[in-house]
Amino acid sequence: MSELVWSDTIPTQFGLISIRDFETADHPYVETGQEAVISTPGHVFVASQTDTDGDVAVAVRVGEPDIAGLRLVFDGVMHFNSSSLCVVAPADPDEKTVAIPAPGMWKVKIGVEGDPAHAIAIFFDPTEWAGSSRE
């Protein structure tokens, strides 16, 4: 069972939620505007409902995806050089959301509920989170 680390609701005007390393300068490029997710090593955009449909619930969890009805849209490695995860709407000012136990490359899975997504869950690998050494 995954463990909840952080959760909040985020208003978004453009139908995107930004999930990234707090200090990254890279930004994924939207090609068609129909992508469920676009990413670079330190930044992921997840398509979501717009503010006219309501806020988007976002949760950061440790463990394997275990939420009924969740659709996995990202399963990869992200770079967190700052040891801080930032989750915001793209037009909002950056703010630190969750402290990561150590800087480096992390296995991350992202799942959504709904189409368009009204809820997003970000899962970190439990072995890495528990303190396995990485460089």
Side-chain angles (χ1 to χ4, degrees):
M1 181 173 205
S2 65
E3 175 187 344
L4 180 65
V5 174
W6 173 89
S7 67
D8 203 351
T9 57
I10 299 177
T12 179
Q13 302 138 326
F14 304 110
L16 291 172
I17 296 295
S18 171
I19 301 164
R20 64 186 193 81
D21 175 65
F22 183 69
E23 293 179 354
T24 195
D26 64 350
H27 299 284
Y29 178 71
V30 177
E31 292 186 16
T32 68
Q34 302 301 311
E35 298 92 348
V37 65
I38 55 176
S39 66
T40 59
H43 196 164
V44 174
F45 282 130
V46 177
S48 68
Q49 66 188 17
T50 64
D51 63 341
T52 58
D53 294 322
D55 294 347
V56 176
V58 180
V60 176
R61 308 183 71 87
V62 174
E64 289 299 315
D66 58 356
I67 298 172
L70 192 74
R71 181 172 44 95
L72 199 63
V73 295
F74 181 85
D75 183 355
V77 175
M78 290 186 68
H79 298 218
F80 291 97
N81 296 325
S82 72
S83 296
S84 293
L85 169 68
C86 181
V87 180
V88 295
D92 288 345
D94 294 340
E95 60 183 54
K96 292 181 183 177
T97 302
V98 175
I100 308 285
M105 298 181 350
W106 288 79
K107 295 176 192 167
V108 176
K109 295 179 182 178
I110 301 173
V112 300
E113 292 180 64
D115 187 21
H118 60 84
I120 297 171
I122 305 156
F123 295 87
F124 281 86
D125 182 273
T127 303
E128 290 181 343
W129 195 273
S132 65
S133 65
R134 296 178 305 286
E135 291 298 322

